[in-house]
């Protein structure tokens, strides 16, 4: 966040403290990982495009409902009273304005939010990947873990209008505790907040509620350590995200595609091959050798240096029977 406006950094630290800490913990040597199928990885390499999918089309379509339910429960049980009182000392009525904007946008957030999911990569998983994420693949699909540089996800590019955030795996008590921290921080920074332009403050409240709703999941899934890059074409239209309506069995929803192309003048860098991919780990499969050969060949076409050294077979056993 060293290139961010100091006022933006301070606002993030006040209104989204856990997100602020998670962003600050990402170092230049940190890596994210995108779990997908080997077939999809080859399509990404061929097309040089990445897809943003509707949250209602994700593996667990209830993902977004968990966050919305947590937030609504907190609001309905007077959770916002202390926070509203703290804000009223700085800008009377601005909390209600932020809440109203969130409620007005709720149908659009539910139906028109699109995400690209990655996870924090642990160097200890360089040769194996994460077992809990391999288990998400079904049938004959072979999973691969694509380890990538974090820098494209940390940039703020106004032209792209897609924003990254860590996912929170909070209980109800932890959810409420986050907003208690926000309240205390507002009280500690009353002068700064009082001097903030009211429309900006209203927007920050709206964004705080939006990310709390859209980037929350069940606490039992915390091992995923997911980050989401999210966009909403109704809220943040961008010419860089291209609308598609693929004829995919089981889904008739729209997707948005982003061309993996650097645009330095727009502060979009690190998206192109060969820089983007650090490593590919092949998950449990009976066809690891053939899949590895195909991926190595495709990486070589994209001028990725030493592609054979970057494609690893996890050699995890393939389970043919369920536990029990």
């Amino acid at each position: 966040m060293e290139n961010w406006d100091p006022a933006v950094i301070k606002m993030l630290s006040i209104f989204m403290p856990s997100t602020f800490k998670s962003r600050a913990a990402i170092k230049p040597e940190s890596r994210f990982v995108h779990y997908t199928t080997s077939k999809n990885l080859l399509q990404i390499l061929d097309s040089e495009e990445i897809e943003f999918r509707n949250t209602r089309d994700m593996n667990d379509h209830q993902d977004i409902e968990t966050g919305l339910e947590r937030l609504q429960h907190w609001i309905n049980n007077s959770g916002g009273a202390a926070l509203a009182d703290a804000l009223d000392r700085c800008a009377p009525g601005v909390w209600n304005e932020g809440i109203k904007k969130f409620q007005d946008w709720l149908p659009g957030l539910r139906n028109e939010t699109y995400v690209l999911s990655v996870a924090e990569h642990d160097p200890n998983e360089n040769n194996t990947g994460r077992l809990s994420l391999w288990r998400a693949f079904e049938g004959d699909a072979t999973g691969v873990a694509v380890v990538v540089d974090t820098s494209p996800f940390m940039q703020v590019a106004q032209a792209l209008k897609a924003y990254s955030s860590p996912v929170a795996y909070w209980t109800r008590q932890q959810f409420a505790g986050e907003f208690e921290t926000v309240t205390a921080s507002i009280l500690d920074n009353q002068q700064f907040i009082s001097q903030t332009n009211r429309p900006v403050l209203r927007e920050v409240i709206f964004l705080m509620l939006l990310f709390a709703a859209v980037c929350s999941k069940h606490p039992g899934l915390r091992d995923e350590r997911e980050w989401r890059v999210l966009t909403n074409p109704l809220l943040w239209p961008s010419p860089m995200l291209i609308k598609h309506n693929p004829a995919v069995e089981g889904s008739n929803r729209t997707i948005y595609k982003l061309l993996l192309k650097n645009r330095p003048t727009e502060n979009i860098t690190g998206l192109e091959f060969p820089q983007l991919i650090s490593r590919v780990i092949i998950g449990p499969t009976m066809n690891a050798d053939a899949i590895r050969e195909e991926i190595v060949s495709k990486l070589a076409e994209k001028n990725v240096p030493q592609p054979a050294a970057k494609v690893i077979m996890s050699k995890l056993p393939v389970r043919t029977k369920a536990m029990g």
Side-chain angles (χ1 to χ4, degrees):
M1 295 185 289
E2 64 273 10
N3 296 323
W4 288 24
D5 183 327
V8 172
I9 294 175
K10 187 165 185 176
M11 198 70 78
L12 178 63
S13 71
I14 293 170
F15 285 89
M16 303 181 194
S18 291
T19 295
F20 176 77
K21 290 178 182 178
S22 294
R23 278 187 165 272
I26 299 295
K27 306 301 181 185
E29 65 273 16
S30 300
R31 292 291 179 269
F32 284 145
V33 59
H34 179 56
Y35 282 79
T36 187
T37 64
S38 58
K39 178 180 178 181
N40 192 47
L41 172 58
L42 293 170
Q43 290 175 343
I44 292 171
L45 291 168
D46 276 332
S47 66
E48 299 190 5
E49 294 175 324
I50 194 76
E51 296 179 356
F52 287 71
R53 293 192 172 274
N54 193 293
T55 53
R56 298 173 69 185
D57 251 4
M58 297 173 70
N59 286 351
D60 183 356
H61 67 278
Q62 289 297 316
D63 271 357
I64 192 171
E65 294 302 324
T66 297
L68 288 169
E69 186 274 334
R70 289 273 196 274
L71 183 60
Q72 203 62 55
H73 180 271
W74 175 76
I75 293 171
N76 291 343
N77 286 274
S78 302
L83 198 157
D85 288 343
L87 281 167
D88 277 345
R89 300 186 187 189
C90 307
V94 74
W95 167 252
N96 289 333
E97 293 173 17
I99 282 279
K100 183 180 185 304
K101 180 171 181 179
F102 177 77
Q103 298 291 1
D104 289 345
W105 271 98
L106 192 52
L109 297 178
R110 269 199 167 101
N111 298 320
E112 291 296 324
T113 297
Y114 295 80
V115 300
L116 166 66
S117 293
V118 293
E120 294 180 26
H121 179 64
D122 188 333
N124 293 328
E125 298 168 343
N126 268 343
N127 295 321
T128 61
R130 192 169 306 161
L131 183 58
S132 60
L133 294 177
W134 292 136
R135 287 173 172 166
F137 294 95
E138 298 179 345
D140 297 330
T142 297
V144 295
V146 187
V147 182
V148 297
D149 187 12
T150 57
S151 60
F153 302 89
M154 296 294 103
Q155 297 162 359
V156 176
Q158 292 301 324
L160 179 56
K161 300 187 185 302
Y163 306 98
S164 63
S165 173
V167 169
Y169 301 91
W170 292 328
T171 62
R172 289 191 193 279
Q173 293 76 18
Q174 290 170 325
F175 196 97
E178 175 77 356
F179 287 107
E180 290 172 5
T181 300
V182 172
T183 301
S185 191
I186 290 170
L187 293 173
D188 288 341
N189 292 275
Q190 289 184 60
Q191 183 177 359
F192 170 77
I193 295 171
S194 297
Q195 295 171 348
T196 300
N197 182 281
R198 189 181 186 92
V200 171
L201 191 55
R202 181 173 58 242
E203 188 69 12
V204 169
I205 294 167
F206 168 67
L207 292 174
M208 175 186 70
L209 298 172
L210 184 157
F211 281 94
V214 177
C215 294
S216 295
K217 294 180 74 170
H218 191 284
L221 300 172
R222 65 178 64 88
D223 183 58
E224 293 178 352
R225 298 165 63 190
E226 183 183 352
W227 282 62
R228 288 178 173 171
V229 186
L230 65 92
T231 191
N232 186 302
L234 301 180
L235 188 60
W236 306 308
S238 169
M240 294 185 184
L241 292 166
I242 308 303
K243 184 177 181 179
H244 288 262
N245 294 96
V248 178
E249 184 178 354
S251 173
N252 59 1
R253 299 193 193 280
T254 298
I255 63 172
Y256 281 81
K257 291 188 177 184
L258 171 65
L259 183 64
L260 295 174
K261 181 176 178 59
N262 294 335
R263 299 174 180 86
T265 59
E266 304 286 358
N267 199 34
I268 299 173
T269 59
L271 281 181
E272 295 181 359
F273 307 117
Q275 295 88 359
L276 181 62
I277 294 180
S278 300
R279 192 179 194 88
V280 178
I281 308 166
I282 300 173
T285 178
M286 302 293 289
N287 303 308
D289 288 310
I291 291 171
R292 179 180 183 275
E293 183 177 335
E294 193 171 10
I295 294 173
V296 168
S297 176
K298 191 62 65 175
L299 291 177
E301 289 180 19
K302 299 300 176 181
N303 298 314
V304 174
Q306 298 181 309
K310 292 187 175 182
V311 184
I312 309 299
M313 294 186 290
S314 67
K315 299 185 179 179
L316 287 167
V318 178
R319 287 181 173 170
T320 56
K321 295 183 179 180
M323 295 178 66

